[in-house]
Amino acid sequence: MVSIIVATAQNGIIGDKNALLWHIREDMIHFRTITSGHPVIMGRKTFESIGRPLPKRENVVITRDTNLKIEGCTMAHSLEQAIGLFAAEQEVFIIGGAQIYAQAMALADRIYLTVVKKDYSGDSAFPAIDYSEWNEIEREEFDRGEEFDHPFYFVTLERKR
């Protein structure tokens, strides 16, 4: 099963200059809880922005560079190759960036979406979601975070079959 996990501003922006635009403790805990024990697939730039393999997860980095090796990570040269490393029934998480998300939208079975109810400027955006293709199965709203002053929510979408 292919799942996307992403945090976006309400205008779809996900980052700027290879960096997140906000730090929401609750979202980091949500991300860690959902992805722990599962493979995570990311592009090279996303890996570089994180700076290390994520613990308690098999890390797969997609790169065009066939010579690139990263300790603690499995390398793949396409999204399809990365997904193909795992059994079809195993939930794998696509964690970014924008180019990888765009490729993964047609393949995804589920989207774990955090939406920050504020517009941001940035150079990376999440692809538009055609909500007619998805069922909302869970939602949790927050007026603000413990250390974040804007409202946000978590929503889980499952592809209609």
Side-chain angles (χ1 to χ4, degrees):
M1 177 167 56
V2 177
S3 294
I4 290 173
I5 188 163
V6 63
T8 75
Q10 67 186 2
N11 61 345
I13 297 298
I14 60 173
D16 190 45
K17 297 175 184 63
N18 209 27
L20 293 175
L21 298 169
W22 51 79
H23 293 280
I24 305 171
R25 184 174 184 276
E26 294 83 355
D27 185 49
M28 296 298 181
I29 292 167
H30 180 70
F31 176 89
R32 185 174 54 244
T33 300
I34 289 171
T35 63
S36 284
H38 297 279
V40 292
I41 297 171
M42 69 198 92
R44 178 192 49 81
K45 288 190 225 175
T46 296
F47 175 81
E48 289 173 355
S49 74
I50 296 168
R52 64 181 170 78
L54 294 171
K56 299 181 183 168
R57 286 154 276 209
E58 185 170 347
N59 290 250
V60 179
V61 177
I62 300 170
T63 178
R64 290 182 192 99
D65 182 351
T66 56
N67 296 315
L68 182 64
K69 304 284 185 257
I70 301 171
E71 189 174 330
C73 296
T74 301
M75 308 311 289
H77 304 295
S78 70
L79 179 59
E80 291 76 14
Q81 181 187 15
I83 292 169
L85 295 169
F86 305 99
E89 64 276 0
Q90 185 172 10
E91 188 171 16
V92 299
F93 287 89
I94 310 301
I95 66 168
Q99 291 178 353
I100 304 299
Y101 285 138
Q103 294 173 38
M105 283 300 285
L107 306 172
D109 301 295
R110 189 174 285 162
I111 300 174
Y112 296 90
L113 177 65
T114 299
V115 177
V116 177
K117 293 183 178 180
K118 181 179 190 254
D119 287 342
Y120 282 82
S121 335
D123 59 12
S124 298
F126 190 72
I129 298 171
D130 178 352
Y131 285 92
S132 70
E133 296 179 8
W134 300 90
N135 288 317
E136 182 175 317
I137 59 170
E138 192 173 352
R139 178 181 288 254
E140 187 176 4
E141 304 253 358
F142 298 84
D143 292 330
R144 65 181 312 279
E146 185 180 303
E147 299 169 357
F148 185 74
D149 292 334
H150 301 286
F152 60 95
Y153 61 90
F154 303 142
V155 65
T156 305
L157 304 171
E158 212 163 70
R159 189 175 297 279
K160 291 179 180 176
R161 298 287 170 205

